[in-house]
């Protein structure tokens, strides 16, 4: 399998929301970005993407240097991305994204949605890993 193109920059898009579709085994992410051409050009040339979400990174200390490490949780997914063109679906994707970040429901108008590009990523395969800090009894 050929390697996926690398999108330059620290992050592909501004923020991500995670959506599990009920009744389907599809993990779907919504991200948004500006109309910046480079990222969208990369997406047009190859719709395969890689998503990484990390949470809770913290240092685990020890008396012995070999015992040091990090506590974390992470999910890694390969997926297929597409720009959301349908105005109603674009508003829905942004509403899911906003709720994930604000924990509040908002109605997103088409006028609001027109200011950004919304990209939907359907995961093809995922893996998760974690290391949780153990507390002594």
């Amino acid at each position: 399998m050929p390697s996926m193109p690398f999108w330059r920059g620290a992050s592909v898009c501004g923020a991500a929301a995670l959506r599990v579709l009920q009744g389907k085994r599809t993990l779907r992410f919504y991200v948004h970005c500006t109309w910046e051409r480079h990222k969208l050009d990369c997406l047009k040339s190859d719709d395969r993407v890689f998503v990484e979400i990390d949470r809770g990174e913290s240092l685990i200390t020890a008396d012995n240097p070999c015992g040091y490490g990090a506590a974390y949780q992470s999910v890694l997914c390969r997926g297929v991305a597409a720009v959301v063109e349908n105005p109603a679906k674009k508003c829905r994707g942004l509403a899911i994204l906003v709720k994930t970040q604000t924990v509040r429901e908002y109605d997103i108008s088409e006028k609001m949605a027109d200011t950004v590009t919304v990209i939907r990523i359907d995961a093809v395969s995922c893996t998760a890993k974690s290391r949780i800090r153990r507390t002594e009894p």
Side-chain angles (χ1 to χ4, degrees):
M1 171 184 285
S3 63
M4 289 182 248
F6 177 73
W7 288 5
R8 284 173 244 170
S11 67
V12 173
C13 299
L18 181 61
R19 176 76 172 170
V20 178
L21 302 177
Q22 295 180 3
K24 296 182 182 178
R25 293 179 185 225
T26 302
L27 186 57
R28 180 169 285 173
F29 300 87
Y30 288 98
V31 295
H32 70 82
C33 62
T34 63
W35 293 98
E36 185 179 322
R37 296 292 352 142
H38 176 73
K39 294 170 188 170
L40 295 175
D41 288 343
C42 288
L43 181 59
K44 285 177 186 173
S45 70
D46 192 341
D47 63 356
R48 296 171 301 157
V49 296
F50 187 84
V51 176
E52 177 178 357
I53 299 173
D54 299 309
R55 178 174 173 251
E57 297 87 4
S58 65
L59 180 65
I60 296 174
T61 59
D63 294 332
N64 179 329
C66 295
Y68 272 73
Y72 64 91
Q73 295 172 316
S74 66
V75 176
L76 308 170
C77 299
R78 291 184 186 278
V80 178
V83 174
V84 179
E85 303 287 353
N86 178 291
K89 290 181 180 180
K90 187 174 179 181
C91 291
R92 172 130 172 83
L94 282 172
I96 291 168
L97 178 67
V98 169
K99 184 178 179 185
T100 300
Q101 294 191 342
T102 65
V103 194
R104 292 178 57 191
E105 300 265 349
Y106 286 96
D107 289 324
I108 306 296
S109 69
E110 286 186 31
K111 183 177 179 181
M112 295 164 73
D114 282 343
T115 64
V116 296
T117 301
V118 175
I119 299 169
R120 185 193 75 233
I121 301 170
D122 290 324
V124 175
S125 65
C126 293
T127 184
K129 188 174 181 181
S130 69
R131 180 177 182 192
I132 299 171
R133 181 185 302 264
R134 293 193 178 123
T135 56
E136 297 299 321

